[in-house]
Amino acid sequence: MRIGGIDLGGTKIEARLFEGAGAETVKVHRVPTPTDSFDGLMSALIGQVDWLRAESGDPSLPVGVAIPGVIDPATGESFASNIPASGHSIPAALKAHFGEAIPVVNDCMAFAFSEAQGGAGDGHRVVMGLILGTGVGGGVSIDGAIPPRHAGLAVEVGHIGMSYRAIERHGLPMFRCGCGRLGCVENYISGTGFKNIAEWKTGTRHGAEALGTEPALDEVLDIWADIAGDVLDTIQLALDPDCIVIGGGLSNLPGVADRLTTSLEALRLGSARMPLITVAQHGDSSGARGAALMGLKA
Ligand SMILES: [Zn+2]
C-alpha cells in the first residue's frame, strides 16, 4: 500500500511517499514555498501532488495535505500567518484542479492523527497532540478520526490565556503574543516562551539548548515545566485525553515526558486518572504522515 502526504510549511512544501502498513517514508521531495501569491502557492502544491502520483506510478494515489493554519470547516478558507492563503480555500482550489476532493488538514491535527495510528498514541482513544516548538500547536484524534469542529479552533491551545494561578505562583510578567493579545500560553511554554522566561529571570535570552551551560537556566526549566503543567491541566479538564503526545523542539529535552507528568500530577483536580504523557515517534514526518493517512481514509 502506498500513500502520499504533503506538509505545506512557511519555508518549504514537503511531499512524502509512504509505504506499508506502518506508513514508512520511502521518498521525499521538497520545494520552496512561494510566498508572493495564492496562485503561486497552489501551482507549487499541485506540482507536489503530481510528483507523488508520478513517483508512485499510481495516478489515483491517495494524497492528503497538512497546512500551518486554521481551516474554516464550513468554507475551507484558511487563516494562516506564514503562507499566502488567508481568505482562500485550498481544498476548493485543489478540487477545481483535480476534480476530486483532497483532504486538507491543520498540521497539528495531522500530527495527532499520525501519532494516534502507529505512533506514540497508538492504542489510545483520545490522543491529544501538543507541539512545543517555536510556537505551541494542538491537535486531537478521537477513535481514529479528527472530531467535527465549528470554527476550526478546537484545541488551538497556543492562544488560550495562561492561567493566573501559574502567573501568580512565579510572579511572571504578562508577555504580548504575536496574535496581538496578552498572555497567551504560547509565550510561556514554547521554545520562544522558554526564552521569554530566561530573559526575565537571567537578563539573557537563552534558549533551551543552552541548558547545562548556566545554573540559572535550571530554575528557568523548573518554572517552564511547572507552568506547562497548568496547560496540561487545562487540556485534561477540557478534553480528558487518555494520551498526550509531545512534539516539537522542546520534546527533545531529556526526561520531558516524566517532568510534565510530575507537573500535572501535582496540579490535577483531586485524584483524576492521569493520561499517558509521552514523546512523539514520527518527528519531522508527522505532518505529511498524518495528512497521508487522512487521504487514505477520505
Ligand atoms: Zn496569542
Side-chain angles (χ1 to χ4, degrees), residues 136-214:
V136 169
V140 63
S141 168
I142 299 178
D143 284 340
I146 303 283
R149 284 143 292 147
H150 172 62
L153 292 174
V155 294
E156 194 62 51
V157 284
H159 300 282
I160 291 176
M162 192 71 215
S163 115
Y164 181 71
R165 285 196 295 237
I167 300 278
E168 197 271 337
R169 211 158 53 239
H170 298 285
L172 283 159
M174 294 292 276
F175 297 122
R176 176 71 64 182
C177 185
C179 73
R181 302 180 307 167
L182 203 56
C184 295
V185 153
E186 180 159 288
N187 307 287
Y188 296 87
I189 68 161
S190 65
T192 309
F194 187 97
K195 289 181 187 168
N196 289 342
I197 299 170
E199 187 172 25
W200 166 74
K201 197 78 198 167
T202 72
T204 307
R205 210 166 161 72
H206 288 295
E209 65 284 351
L211 280 162
T213 64
E214 179 156 355

